[in-house]
Amino acid sequence: MNKQHPLIVFSPSGMRGRVAKGTTVLEAARQLGVDLDSVCGGRGICSRCQILPSFGSFPKLGIKVSADSISEWNKVEERYDRVRGLKPGRRLGCQARICGDLAVDVPPESQVHRQVVRKSADRRPVTMDPAVHLYFVEVSQPDMDLPGGDYQRLQTALEEQWGIKNVQLSLQVLSRLQGTLKQGDWKITLAIHQDHTGFAPRVVEIWPGFFGGPLYGLAIDVGSTTVAAQLCNLADGAIAASSGIMNPQIRFGEDLMSRVSYSMLNQSGAADMTSAVRIAVCGLIQSLAATIAADERQIVEVVFVCNPIMHHLLLGIDPVELGQAPFALATDASVQTTARDLELVVLGNDVPVHLLPCIAGHVGADAASVILSEQPHKSEDLVLLVDVGTNAEIVLGDKTRVLACSSPTGPAFEGAQISAGQRASPGAIERVEVCKESLEPKFKVVGCDLWSNEDGFADATAQTGITGICGSGIIEAIAELRMAGVIDKSGLIGAATAGNESRLIRDGRTNAYVLHRS
Ligand code: FES
């Protein structure tokens, strides 16, 4: 054993190497390229650097680890444990020093790029790699003998303490910098955006003193009829909040082409629709943040997907060219912009906003996002993806070729222009089965796994109630009613084969079938 340069082995990465005796575990992780988080830069404040040392003999690793292979608890760790508590066996990697050969485990919450298994059907693992991180910095105070700006001293501190050079900040952040530095006694936490494009790192938001997060990313789907959004915790990928609203552009026209017509016929038509959707998105962001008692400033990155006309209107581009052949897009590339440019005034000016690329004149960024997520272009088997909204997109393909197309379907599947229609939110009927003998229905609602005829259904849905029917419920109800003979082949409800009059409401030529009476 080389006593002056003990061996340290990190799990689960398996990365190992020798470091000088007395090196902290965090420094060793950085030297060896191990994924160990830190916001406070090793000051014992953030606890992101937690590690779990293992003791004993590890023949596979070729080391023996004794209790004195790691330094004793120091005052910083003792204070942290007293005030906020450390799990049994855990140490702060920035405080614990390596005294002998050592094996340490980096728990998932201490990994920056942790793998997250999504809870959706395919359970594909996602590696978290957010472009925005928090950095805690101590900035030197102004000095009569050293004239210079606070921003420049912040740049120096960032380079010295984190190796981040040439950080940029907007006038909006600059205008708050001095007050924030003073409030934090010259300590400040910055959310800095650095991505793979090579642009200079940029300060997105600042907080006085230490701020440990969480930070959130926001994903928004602007549909023709509804706008749906999810707030995602950037540390672990968990969905912190979901919500949706009706797209206020409906008042300008229910489907895509009627909105293009509105733009053609009214001088400020496109601008009015742009303004309406941006204001609605701001309201949606506020309500999402309120749901989890978060500050909107914790939202540091936004991704939009939309069909091409919604995409153009969100960006402030007149969609008139999309209303006529050859249906030319203003751009078929992804768009990188900021909250300021999109007038998302509830967010910081410099919050990065990304729009996925539109594929063609009427196949939008929403279809691109489905392809990105489901990856039909990597599949051996033929994959069919169907997204039925007010506009429907269909993607078909495998690793040799992928085709996409779209067609208008109307707003009914999003809950518009249908009695009791609604978005797929808790309480909406989403599954329907109709008994072919009795013609009695049973159904499931969003947020409850029980069928309506099962014990416990009433209790399980007491809070949400049964509030309406969403698109998937409509499709299945129509299919089930047709198979049960309640709907004839012309589409008429209450055909001669129907036998359960208690469920039918006859009204001249317009008949109805009652799924649920509330
Ligand atoms: S790096 Fe922040 S507590 Fe260790």
Side-chain angles (χ1 to χ4, degrees):
M1 179 168 112
N2 180 341
K3 289 197 171 168
Q4 291 314 307
H5 287 88
L7 181 67
I8 180 163
V9 184
F10 288 92
S11 61
S13 65
M15 296 176 98
R16 53 162 59 205
R18 292 191 179 277
V19 294
K21 187 175 175 182
T23 304
T24 67
V25 175
L26 179 63
E27 285 164 357
R30 286 183 174 160
Q31 286 174 24
L32 298 171
V34 174
D35 189 12
L36 180 58
D37 201 359
S38 164
V39 170
C40 72
R43 293 171 177 82
I45 303 172
C46 70
S47 85
R48 298 289 180 84
C49 60
Q50 288 184 40
I51 47 108
L52 182 67
S54 301
F55 301 100
S57 179
F58 301 93
K60 276 194 176 167
L61 304 179
I63 56 173
K64 281 188 183 154
V65 182
S66 55
D68 57 7
S69 293
I70 191 164
S71 61
E72 291 183 353
W73 281 44
N74 65 14
K75 287 202 168 68
V76 175
E77 285 179 294
E78 281 171 3
R79 187 193 63 214
Y80 189 90
D81 189 40
R82 204 170 50 246
V83 178
R84 299 178 63 186
L86 277 170
K87 286 187 186 166
R90 294 271 182 96
R91 301 287 303 269
L92 293 181
C94 64
Q95 303 300 318
R97 294 186 180 276
I98 301 160
C99 305
D101 289 350
L102 193 59
V104 297
D105 183 54
V106 180
E109 62 270 29
S110 299
Q111 297 168 19
V112 186
H113 302 112
R114 76 189 73 165
Q115 275 219 333
V116 178
V117 178
R118 296 191 311 184
K119 292 200 183 92
S120 57
D122 62 9
R123 303 185 69 80
R124 185 180 305 132
V126 174
T127 301
M128 296 303 295
D129 188 14
V132 181
H133 286 277
L134 289 170
Y135 298 91
F136 175 74
V137 187
E138 291 182 70
V139 180
S140 59
Q141 296 191 24
D143 187 330
M144 290 284 280
D145 297 328
L146 294 171
D150 287 337
Y151 173 28
Q152 285 65 35
R153 278 181 287 103
L154 173 67
Q155 283 185 311
T156 305
L158 270 169
E159 186 165 351
E160 285 174 359
Q161 293 167 37
W162 290 100
I164 298 173
K165 295 181 182 164
N166 192 29
V167 72
Q168 303 295 302
L169 48 78
S170 68
L171 185 56
Q172 188 211 37
V173 176
L174 183 61
S175 68
R176 292 194 286 121
L177 181 63
Q178 291 193 303
T180 308
L181 280 170
K182 269 192 168 171
Q183 193 185 341
D185 195 22
W186 305 95
K187 299 179 185 69
I188 189 168
T189 304
L190 309 109
I192 296 181
H193 178 264
Q194 279 181 295
D195 64 16
H196 60 282
T197 57
F199 282 111
R202 195 160 191 87
V203 177
V204 175
E205 190 49 80
I206 55 177
W207 291 266
F210 175 74
F211 175 68
L215 297 179
Y216 297 103
L218 179 63
I220 304 189
D221 178 3
V222 181
S224 317
T225 306
T226 57
V227 181
Q230 291 193 319
L231 261 189
C232 173
N233 184 321
L234 288 179
D236 59 12
I239 304 298
S242 306
S243 189
I245 49 169
M246 299 304 278
N247 187 332
Q249 292 174 343
I250 286 178
R251 67 175 183 269
F252 302 104
E254 283 188 351
D255 54 32
L256 294 173
M257 281 307 160
S258 53
R259 280 179 223 173
V260 175
S261 302
Y262 184 83
S263 175
M264 287 173 171
L265 297 172
N266 296 276
Q267 203 178 8
S268 66
D272 292 345
M273 288 188 279
T274 295
S275 169
V277 75
R278 288 177 178 179
I279 291 170
V281 167
C282 285
L284 183 56
I285 292 170
Q286 285 178 308
S287 76
L288 273 172
T291 309
I292 54 167
D295 184 341
E296 291 95 3
R297 295 192 307 147
Q298 289 171 251
I299 301 171
V300 291
E301 195 148 26
V302 183
V303 176
F304 278 99
V305 297
C306 0
N307 63 57
I309 291 172
M310 296 301 101
H311 169 279
H312 280 39
L313 286 171
L314 178 68
L315 287 175
I317 301 169
D318 192 327
V320 65
E321 295 302 330
L322 293 169
Q324 57 206 3
F327 309 110
L329 291 160
T331 174
D332 64 3
S334 60
V335 175
Q336 318 301 328
T337 182
T338 60
R340 172 184 46 217
D341 287 344
L342 294 190
E343 297 172 320
L344 302 178
V345 293
V346 296
L347 299 177
N349 275 356
D350 280 322
V351 168
V353 176
H354 315 279
L355 278 89
L356 267 63
C358 291
I359 296 170
H362 283 281
V363 184
D366 43 3
S369 69
V370 172
I371 292 171
L372 184 66
S373 169
E374 301 305 320
Q375 307 196 335
H377 55 290
K378 293 184 179 171
S379 171
E380 296 282 345
D381 300 322
L382 203 56
V383 175
L384 178 67
L385 304 167
V386 182
D387 175 10
V388 182
T390 310
N391 208 51
E393 290 85 30
I394 294 178
V395 175
L396 176 68
D398 58 19
K399 66 179 194 178
T400 61
R401 186 160 77 136
V402 175
L403 299 169
C405 63
S406 75
S407 170
T409 55
F413 297 123
E414 306 264 0
Q417 289 217 332
I418 182 159
S419 68
Q422 70 161 96
R423 290 183 308 100
S425 54
I429 294 175
E430 62 167 346
R431 295 287 320 273
V432 176
E433 282 185 16
V434 177
C435 172
K436 293 181 182 57
E437 282 79 46
S438 67
L439 305 185
E440 279 296 304
K442 63 178 181 178
F443 56 83
K444 282 186 177 182
V445 300
V446 176
C448 175
D449 287 333
L450 297 172
W451 285 97
S452 57
N453 61 349
E454 289 182 291
D455 289 344
F457 178 80
D459 288 342
T461 56
Q463 206 173 357
T464 60
I466 297 159
T467 51
I469 185 164
C470 62
S472 50
I474 293 171
I475 291 172
E476 197 162 45
I478 291 170
E480 285 284 314
L481 290 170
R482 173 70 189 114
M483 287 192 291
V486 177
I487 295 179
D488 69 14
K489 65 180 180 185
S490 74
L492 181 71
I493 292 178
T497 48
N500 187 343
E501 286 294 323
S502 68
R503 291 255 162 208
L504 292 176
I505 300 174
R506 297 190 182 276
D507 182 15
R509 296 182 56 203
T510 309
N511 301 335
Y513 175 89
V514 179
L515 269 181
H516 172 70
R517 283 189 178 90
S518 57

